[in-house]
Amino acid sequence: MSVVVNGTAAAGEPAAGQCLRTFLREQGWYGVKKGCDAGDCGACTVHVDGVPVHSCVYPAVRADGRSVTTVEGLADGDTLHPVQQRFLDAQGFQCGFCTAGLVMTVAALDETQRGDLPRALKGNLCRCTGYRAIRDALDGVRHVADPAVGTTDGTDGGPGGPAVGGNVAAPAARQIVTGTARFTFDVDVPGLTHLKLVRSTVPHARIVDVDTDDAMRVPGVLAVLTHHDCPDRRYSTAQHENPREDPADTRLLDDVVRFVGQRVAAVVAETEAAAETAAALVRVSYQPLPAVFDPAAAMLPGAPVLHDLDPAVSGIARPADNVAGEVHGEIGDVDRALADADEVYTTTFRTQRVQHAHLETHGAVAWPEPDGGLTVRSSTQTPYLTRRALARLFGLPAEKVRVVAGRVGGGFGGKQEMLVEDVTALAALRTGRPVKLEFTRAEQFTAATTRHPFRTRVTVAGRRDGTLTAIRLHVVADTGAYGNHGPAVLAHGCSESVALYKCPNKQVDGWSVYTNTVPAGAFRGYGLGQVSFAVESAVDELARRLGFDPVAFRARNVIGPQDPLVTPVGHDDTVRVHSYGLDQCLELIQRARTETWQEDAAAGWLVGDGMAVAMIATGPPGGHHGRARVTLDADGGYQLDIGMAEFGNGSTTVHRQLVADALTTTVDRVRIRQSDTALVGHDTGAFASTGTVVAGTAAQRAALALRDVLVDAAARATGVDRRDCRLDGAAVRCAGRRVDLVDLARAASAAGRPLTADGHADGAHRSVAFDAHWFRVAVDPDSGEIRILRSVHSADAGTVLNPMQCRGQVEGGVAQALGAALAEHVDIDDHGRVVTDDFRSYHLPTYADVPLTEVLFARTSDPLGPAGAKSMSESPFNPVAAALANALRDATGIRFTDLPFTSDRVWDRLQRGRADGE
Ligand code: FES
């Protein structure tokens, strides 16, 4: 075969049936990504003779005699293609995993196609941005004046621009638009072998036998590993600083399967094809056990027990009742408050399973080191905790295990989980070879984690004067077959959602329950999205029934700046309101509601509006540590070493801004080395909204400490009192004398004492961020279709360190929440099988589906956060579903209680008519 790729003749021949995507990647064109391998997501888009194709469904042999262009071949030398430049100027990405495909699709559009972007881009999915940043890129919006440095719009920041408060570009921006950013598998690993998993076909069974003979006879197969080959230790796939937060209920390979899709065996082979062929030949004999799929049924006497383990050892609350964890508590007297109330409202709300659907699936490569150690390159949000978990599992000293995260293609909490590293490590240690495991999209749906489905019965009560007097929650959360994150998600969901109100009588009873279904796990919002949907819907209904405007009712009942955060599920001393912008959030929403604008509702459609509020604490109560080191380099620039991984949330961009600000320089002078346990200091991980506040504080502290080190060194060099010395860009000025940083670095190097400083933050004290969302919607009574006429989100993120990026976090969170509120649902059939296992059956929002959201920031400054910042990565998700439900209620008169609000469900309810309350 003769094919030219980016102007160079490709080497080798494709294998029979090989797709162009894998052929191109074998040639080293790593800009061609795998998102689905089904032609649905567009991450693999390339041009064949100038025509864009999804290379995952394009046979490689069809490229014979043709010219192929990947994103790496689009630029003309150092001059970017205009589309790449636009994505760079607008910073039209977050994790960047979709970007190469989008750039290639857009670069091939003609004028007609450009005039209909919703249609033209329907084959390219982005899970992170909510498409606004992409729309900006296509519109030629320039958010960063200099993509290498970044200056803020309309602000005179001087050369290089202001470090903090500016629209600073992501450090990897140019690599992302050129396809040269290195994600997990974008590296050459000599001698690589491939792992495929044999997965359970039944929901609950004891494994009687695993026959591996036929599989072992497949040429190229190196090993078939079963429960006989792995350590007999139980752990949790969830990763927290305190491992006791999660039940230790999981074995690497178990002799009991508890959901369809659980690992049974691991096949390692020289090629992916051989591993796949052999995996299909492994024969598993099961002794079936009774299964239970409903959490309420699972708690009943006589239900099948999933984990018969000692609670004291496993940390499972009540194994015999399938209760992984539970929360109970009351403050005040709820019964009395209900008896005394003028209005009481009770209803049950249900939320569904939703998949993270990050475009980069779970994956890892593990290889043994000559000294007996182990290295794992993984798509993880928690490299340090994964290292600790692997070291414990395999009985290795921690320093013998190295975990490295390249750029991570999205996570949203899904990669705060050890789903691939353990089994790849086992295979590498057993075979002595490098081993790769990359989930398929189907595995992502059937065997990775989901959002926990919640059934929340809410009772709220109030008085005619507009006072909320009681909140009672009865919550059943389905944790699936394993308890990873289950108890913590339940507790978190029942915390800030209730603490947001200063209501004196509160009661919570909640259970996180095992069922024989795919396990749930951490997901943006960590339970708050589910419970807030219920509480904010119920509070809204109560306000209506008491005759109050929903915004005014909330303004009257939410906590103020001095109020304690009171929840019945345990007092937490570490969190309080250190800065308060909820009043501004409500004012911003109220202003938007009363503005006039062009409304575009078709005749006969029902129109209404609704809002909801949310609060979230930064960081987990169990502790969260970040360490950073900043070093003066020989060229007078700086190196920031930091443990936190970058998965598109933009933490690295902000870390660089904070360091540059502290060292009075520009961000282009700060290089970053991150998320490699062998090279940088400990970080608990990129989760719990800690990227800016915890790791950012560590980076800022390291930079400020280095500033003192540099001033001291200059003072010593000049003999000037240090109080008369100050750092000023590339030099320290001491009483009129200038000491170049380059000279300081040279002298330090000659003395063998590099100029460096460390910073640490422990997240021991926590503040809260606030969000409010408002929708105006139109509903077609003939079809149930919902159209969003206006979407406004106000957020209290403290000092906004990077407005463009923070806005992007809000837009992405809102888009993800809208997907969950309107369409997304992981369906499980009567046999426990996930049936929505691809992007065609699981509808992810496309460019056409996501409305524009106006993002408005409160003006506050938080004393705990670096430069006054608070978190804003998870929180925008949380009020969205309730705001939409409340708008639907306003439009239709019907209280919608079950997510998602698909048009058939809405139509059905409209047909049945108004049925408020119970
Ligand atoms: Fe589009 Fe992450 S930036 S998928």
Side-chain angles (χ1 to χ4, degrees):
M1 183 171 103
S2 161
V3 56
V4 173
V5 184
N6 298 330
T8 304
E13 293 287 323
Q18 186 171 16
C19 71
L20 184 58
R21 179 187 75 75
T22 55
F23 181 70
L24 291 169
R25 285 188 62 88
E26 282 173 10
Q27 307 282 317
W29 302 111
Y30 293 133
V32 186
K33 302 298 187 210
K34 166 187 167 174
C36 65
D37 267 358
D40 295 329
C41 79
C44 64
T45 306
V46 300
H47 296 174
V48 177
D49 286 343
V51 177
V53 301
H54 287 172
S55 61
C56 68
V57 289
Y58 190 97
V61 290
R62 272 183 61 192
D64 189 16
R66 299 175 190 270
S67 173
V68 175
T69 307
T70 73
V71 71
E72 293 100 325
L74 207 56
D76 181 7
D78 286 342
T79 305
L80 295 179
H81 185 281
V83 174
Q84 290 173 308
Q85 189 63 52
R86 285 183 172 214
F87 272 78
L88 196 59
D89 290 342
Q91 299 282 290
F93 51 81
Q94 286 181 19
C95 79
F97 200 77
C98 68
T99 309
L102 270 158
V103 165
M104 296 307 289
T105 297
V106 175
L109 297 181
D110 60 27
E111 274 312 306
T112 311
Q113 292 168 318
R114 277 174 202 275
D116 187 3
L117 289 172
R119 175 186 288 265
L121 296 183
K122 69 181 193 312
N124 287 83
L125 298 175
C126 173
R127 186 53 155 170
C128 300
T129 61
Y131 299 99
R132 161 72 178 271
I134 292 164
R135 188 181 311 196
D136 283 353
L138 301 183
D139 288 344
V141 175
R142 197 170 192 191
H143 285 306
V144 290
D146 179 347
V149 178
T151 57
T152 189
D153 291 336
T155 304
D156 179 14
V164 164
N167 284 345
V168 173
R174 192 175 175 93
Q175 290 94 312
I176 286 168
V177 302
T178 56
T180 54
R182 290 292 174 246
F183 292 84
T184 311
F185 296 119
D186 299 343
V187 290
D188 284 326
V189 180
L192 189 63
T193 67
H194 300 264
L195 190 154
K196 286 287 173 189
L197 289 162
V198 178
R199 296 189 176 280
S200 170
T201 54
V202 295
H204 199 189
R206 186 168 297 283
I207 295 173
V208 177
D209 182 53
V210 183
D211 182 345
T212 64
D213 291 351
D214 289 347
M216 284 302 296
R217 279 193 278 272
V218 174
V221 169
L222 302 170
V224 181
L225 305 170
T226 70
H227 58 272
H228 298 296
D229 302 296
C230 68
D232 187 16
R233 290 175 197 236
R234 290 184 195 278
Y235 55 94
S236 175
T237 59
Q239 301 301 312
H240 281 112
E241 184 71 38
N242 174 9
R244 296 290 297 171
E245 286 190 37
D246 303 283
D249 56 13
T250 304
R251 277 193 70 195
L252 201 160
L253 295 167
D254 209 335
D255 59 351
V256 174
V257 291
R258 298 177 177 85
F259 69 99
V260 176
Q262 181 172 323
R263 307 163 178 172
V264 172
V267 179
V268 187
E270 296 286 358
T271 66
E272 202 169 343
E276 228 164 58
T277 303
L281 295 173
V282 173
R283 282 193 295 276
V284 186
S285 303
Y286 297 105
Q287 176 197 335
L289 298 170
V292 59
F293 304 125
D294 178 78
M299 284 195 289
L300 294 175
V305 173
L306 271 75
H307 298 277
D308 185 15
L309 298 171
D310 180 353
V313 176
S314 66
I316 298 172
R318 287 190 282 122
D321 299 321
N322 289 317
V323 174
E326 56 191 327
V327 289
H328 303 283
E330 180 175 10
I331 54 169
D333 186 338
V334 170
D335 282 337
R336 172 177 292 229
L338 297 182
D340 293 346
D342 293 319
E343 185 72 45
V344 176
Y345 175 71
T346 300
T347 287
T348 300
F349 296 84
R350 295 173 186 82
T351 63
Q352 79 283 31
R353 270 173 221 284
V354 180
Q355 231 288 322
H356 305 75
H358 30 75
L359 277 204
E360 182 196 42
T361 58
H362 287 277
V365 186
W367 59 89
E369 296 290 355
D371 65 355
L374 175 74
T375 295
V376 181
R377 182 179 169 89
S378 165
S379 180
T380 177
Q381 293 173 232
T382 58
Y384 272 87
L385 300 190
T386 301
R387 174 178 79 158
R388 182 183 68 186
L390 291 172
R392 287 180 181 171
L393 183 56
F394 295 108
L396 293 168
E399 61 275 12
K400 288 276 191 189
V401 180
R402 178 186 184 189
V403 177
V404 185
R407 191 170 180 87
V408 177
F412 315 114
K415 292 173 180 172
Q416 191 194 340
E417 207 90 47
M418 189 169 70
L419 298 182
V420 288
E421 297 87 348
D422 50 358
V423 72
T424 30
L426 173 74
L429 292 172
R430 287 301 176 117
T431 62
R433 298 279 299 275
V435 179
K436 169 186 171 182
L437 170 60
E438 182 178 21
F439 272 14
T440 63
R441 182 56 59 186
E443 284 179 300
Q444 196 66 38
F445 280 109
T446 56
T449 55
T450 70
R451 187 177 291 279
H452 292 78
F454 273 47
R455 186 152 55 207
T456 306
R457 185 165 184 82
V458 188
T459 300
V460 286
R463 287 199 300 259
R464 239 172 253 117
D465 65 357
T467 306
L468 177 67
T469 55
I471 304 175
R472 172 179 278 161
L473 299 184
H474 181 283
V475 185
V476 177
D478 185 349
T479 193
Y482 292 92
N484 43 302
H485 293 287
V489 162
L490 171 71
H492 188 240
C494 299
S495 295
E496 288 100 307
S497 56
V498 176
L500 179 59
Y501 290 97
K502 59 190 176 194
C503 164
N505 306 293
K506 302 174 180 175
Q507 185 178 9
V508 170
D509 290 289
W511 299 265
S512 181
V513 184
Y514 290 115
T515 59
N516 291 108
T517 58
V518 61
F523 199 158
R524 194 176 208 159
Y526 212 67
L528 276 180
Q530 295 96 311
V531 180
S532 292
F533 166 59
V535 171
E536 287 300 301
S537 295
V539 166
D540 202 81
E541 192 62 40
L542 182 71
R544 287 173 182 280
R545 293 175 179 217
L546 288 168
F548 276 81
D549 175 83
V551 176
F553 188 78
R554 286 180 175 85
R556 191 182 175 95
N557 288 291
V558 293
I559 54 164
Q562 308 303 328
D563 288 325
L565 301 176
V566 179
T567 149
V569 295
H571 184 66
D572 184 351
D573 281 337
T574 65
V575 60
R576 67 184 177 86
V577 181
H578 287 272
S579 62
Y580 185 81
L582 180 52
D583 51 349
Q584 293 180 55
C585 289
L586 289 170
E587 283 167 24
L588 290 165
I589 291 295
Q590 185 66 345
R591 209 176 299 160
R593 289 174 84 204
T594 51
E595 283 171 0
T596 52
W597 78 98
Q598 188 67 36
E599 192 156 289
D600 186 22
W605 287 45
L606 307 167
V607 176
D609 71 283
M611 61 87 61
V613 293
M615 172 176 76
I616 192 168
T618 299
H624 200 105
H625 293 266
R627 292 189 185 279
R629 170 169 292 177
V630 183
T631 305
L632 178 66
D633 277 345
D635 65 355
Y638 298 96
Q639 163 116 352
L640 167 62
D641 290 337
I642 193 155
M644 185 162 274
E646 175 61 62
F647 65 105
N649 48 341
S651 302
T652 313
T653 313
V654 168
H655 297 161
R656 198 159 78 143
Q657 288 177 259
L658 289 164
V659 169
D661 188 61
L663 293 167
T664 69
T665 188
T666 52
V667 292
D668 58 320
R669 304 290 293 159
V670 182
R671 288 177 280 267
I672 295 173
R673 192 165 58 169
Q674 65 185 138
S675 56
D676 182 336
T677 61
L679 300 177
V680 296
H682 177 90
D683 188 281
T684 299
F687 66 90
S689 303
T690 52
T692 293
V693 175
V694 178
T697 297
Q700 185 189 46
R701 285 177 179 165
L704 290 171
L706 180 61
R707 188 179 68 186
D708 289 343
V709 168
L710 299 177
V711 165
D712 285 344
R716 279 196 305 275
T718 57
V720 173
D721 190 313
R722 78 173 308 280
R723 287 170 297 188
D724 294 323
C725 298
R726 67 183 172 85
L727 180 62
D728 183 15
V732 181
R733 297 187 186 278
C734 294
R737 292 173 62 184
R738 176 189 162 92
V739 183
D740 280 348
L741 292 184
V742 173
D743 294 333
L744 278 183
R746 194 174 298 143
S749 173
R753 287 196 299 271
L755 295 169
T756 192
D758 292 337
H760 172 232
D762 60 9
H765 298 283
R766 305 184 291 142
S767 193
V768 287
F770 299 100
D771 294 78
H773 200 101
W774 175 72
F775 285 116
R776 189 159 176 82
V777 302
V779 184
D780 181 1
D782 295 329
S783 67
E785 180 186 345
I786 300 168
R787 272 202 201 138
I788 290 166
L789 304 177
R790 198 158 176 227
S791 170
V792 180
H793 192 102
S794 58
D796 171 19
T799 303
V800 178
L801 301 183
N802 187 326
M804 166 195 68
Q805 185 176 284
C806 196
R807 193 196 69 186
Q809 284 296 304
V810 174
E811 290 162 350
V814 170
Q816 200 166 46
L818 266 177
L822 287 169
E824 296 177 36
H825 50 102
V826 174
D827 281 350
I828 294 180
D829 70 12
D830 293 344
H831 307 286
R833 290 182 298 236
V834 172
V835 293
T836 47
D837 64 354
D838 57 26
F839 282 142
R840 291 192 187 182
S841 52
Y842 183 91
H843 182 75
L844 219 56
T846 67
Y847 184 92
D849 296 324
V850 182
L852 193 75
T853 289
E854 298 158 58
V855 180
L856 309 167
F857 290 113
R859 291 180 176 273
T860 61
S861 180
D862 195 273
L864 285 188
K870 296 200 276 192
S871 60
M872 193 50 57
S873 50
E874 296 181 84
S875 55
F877 188 101
N878 298 330
V880 170
L884 191 61
N886 296 337
L888 280 175
R889 165 70 171 86
D890 194 49
T892 65
I894 293 172
R895 172 58 59 190
F896 287 84
T897 55
D898 292 7
L899 290 175
F901 306 137
T902 53
S903 52
D904 54 338
R905 277 188 181 179
V906 172
W907 182 84
D908 185 57
R909 280 301 309 273
L910 288 171
Q911 299 310 303
R912 284 190 282 131
R914 187 185 172 112
D916 297 343
E918 295 181 8

